[in-house]
Amino acid sequence: MNFPIGIFDSGIGGLSILKKVKDLLPNEDFIYYADSKNHPYGEKSIEEIVLSAKSCVDELLKRNCKLIVVACNTASLNAIDDLRKMYPDTLFVATYPAVKVAIDVYETKSCLLMATPASIKSERLQRFVSTIDKSDCIHFLPCPRLANLIETGCDDTASYLKKLLTPWIGKVDCIVLGCTHYPFVIGKIKRIIDVPIIDGSNGIAKRVEYLLKENQLKSLKDEQGKIRFINSSFDGDDIKTKEEFYQYISVGK
Ligand code: DGL
C-alpha cells in the first residue's frame, strides 16, 4: 500500500496529470519518469513507441510502483494493449483524449481534437471515435512538433499555434487536448480561439483513486506524500526538482 504510484510520459507532459492525481491523493508517493531521451513519441512508429513505453514501465517497476499511469495519449493509444499483455499483473491507467466529455458534458456541435500525428493515426483512436454517437462533429487536428516546442520552451510556439488554429476560428465550439503537453499552452490557444478547452486529467485522477480503492492499495500514511523525478536522459534520480515542477505547472495558466 505504501509503494509509490508511477507516472510516465515522453517528457514534461505528464506533469499535468501528476498534478491532478497528487491533488486528489495527497498522501500517495509518486515517481515521475520523463523519457526525454526518446522524446517526441508523437513522431515515432508504433514499434518505437511500444519499446519506449516498455522501458519506462521497466524503470518504474524496478522501483516497486504499485500502479502505473501512462500519462501520454500517444503511448496509451499505440502501446497500452502491448503493455497489458507484457505485464499482466500490473495495474495500468491509460490516458485518452476526452472526446466523450466534449459530447456528453459540453454537448459540442463541432469539436477540434488536437493531438500528435501518432495519436491521430492510431487505430485505437479511430475505432473509438467511430463507435460514438455524433462522431462526425469531431475534427482531427494533428499537431506535428507541438509537443517538442512545448518541451523545449520554444519562443515560436505562439506563432506555430496561430498558423495551425487560424483556419478553425469561428468553426468550433470546444477544443479537446489530446496530448498531455498541450495544457501548458492553454493560455496561448485561448488567445487564438476562445472556446472551452477540455483535457482528460480529472478523469485519470478519479480512475487512479478508484483502482487503488478496489485493489486495497491506498496509502495508509497520514502525511503528505513525496514526489521523485527521474529522467531517461540523465543518470541518477531527482533530476527535476519540485521547484521546477511547480514552475512547469504554472505555465500556460
Ligand atoms: N505528451 C504526449 C502525449 O500525450 C506525447 C508527446 C510526444 O512525445 O510527442 O501524447
Side-chain angles (χ1 to χ4, degrees):
M1 288 167 187
N2 291 337
F3 285 138
I5 294 171
I7 300 192
F8 79 87
D9 180 43
S10 66
I12 61 166
L15 293 173
S16 58
I17 303 270
L18 170 63
K19 182 176 188 320
K20 290 284 167 62
V21 185
K22 169 98 185 115
D23 287 348
L24 189 66
L25 301 164
N27 301 338
E28 297 291 340
D29 287 340
F30 293 89
I31 299 183
Y32 184 84
Y33 189 80
D35 189 12
S36 300
K37 194 170 74 184
N38 294 308
H39 179 87
Y41 285 4
E43 327 279 324
K44 290 191 161 24
S45 68
I46 299 177
E47 292 70 26
E48 288 169 320
I49 296 167
V50 172
L51 270 183
S52 302
K54 183 182 180 315
S55 72
C56 297
V57 172
D58 287 338
E59 289 300 327
L60 291 169
L61 290 180
K62 240 195 260 170
R63 293 164 174 90
N64 295 320
C65 289
K66 61 184 174 184
L67 177 149
I68 293 181
V69 181
V70 184
C72 172
N73 293 262
T74 310
S76 299
L77 288 163
N78 288 285
I80 194 67
D81 294 332
D82 291 276
L83 293 178
R84 290 195 203 277
K85 266 187 226 138
M86 286 186 268
Y87 306 92
D89 300 327
T90 300
L91 286 175
F92 286 105
V93 174
T95 304
Y96 303 117
V99 278
K100 282 286 282 167
V101 178
I103 290 173
D104 297 343
V105 182
Y106 287 82
E107 298 181 345
T108 180
K109 303 267 178 298
S110 178
C111 165
L112 190 64
L113 167 56
M114 298 173 67
T116 66
S119 286
I120 301 281
K121 268 194 284 181
S122 70
E123 210 187 300
R124 185 178 264 270
L125 179 69
Q126 295 297 335
R127 211 185 327 126
F128 170 67
V129 172
S130 70
T131 61
I132 54 181
D133 276 352
K134 304 206 231 154
S135 58
D136 48 350
C137 47
I138 310 290
H139 307 285
F140 297 97
L141 182 62
C143 309
R145 294 195 309 116
L146 179 55
N148 187 249
L149 292 175
I150 296 167
E151 181 79 15
T152 53
C154 185
D155 290 341
D156 289 345
T157 313
S159 55
Y160 174 92
L161 283 168
K162 187 131 202 238
K163 220 164 151 193
L164 196 70
L165 292 172
T166 298
W168 294 96
I169 295 173
K171 295 194 179 131
V172 290
D173 58 22
C174 74
I175 294 177
V176 171
L177 301 182
C179 169
T180 53
H181 278 71
Y182 302 170
F184 298 111
V185 291
I186 279 185
K188 291 187 175 67
I189 295 172
K190 277 223 167 235
R191 260 170 255 137
I192 304 163
I193 303 188
D194 192 10
V195 292
I197 298 186
I198 305 163
D199 78 83
S201 49
N202 284 327
I204 302 295
K206 285 191 195 132
R207 180 76 188 148
V208 172
E209 184 184 41
Y210 170 83
L211 280 183
L212 290 184
K213 266 196 201 145
E214 188 172 86
N215 292 281
Q216 281 142 28
L217 285 173
K218 273 195 95 172
S219 164
L220 299 174
K221 296 181 192 167
D222 51 16
E223 79 265 26
Q224 277 279 329
K226 295 184 196 67
I227 308 175
R228 210 167 134 195
F229 296 96
I230 307 172
N231 192 306
S232 60
S233 285
F234 306 97
D235 286 336
D237 289 357
D238 302 314
I239 296 302
K240 293 225 175 294
T241 64
K242 207 169 166 185
E243 286 67 37
E244 272 181 285
F245 161 62
Y246 283 111
Q247 199 185 323
Y248 280 127
I249 288 301
S250 64
V251 176
K253 292 278 144 62

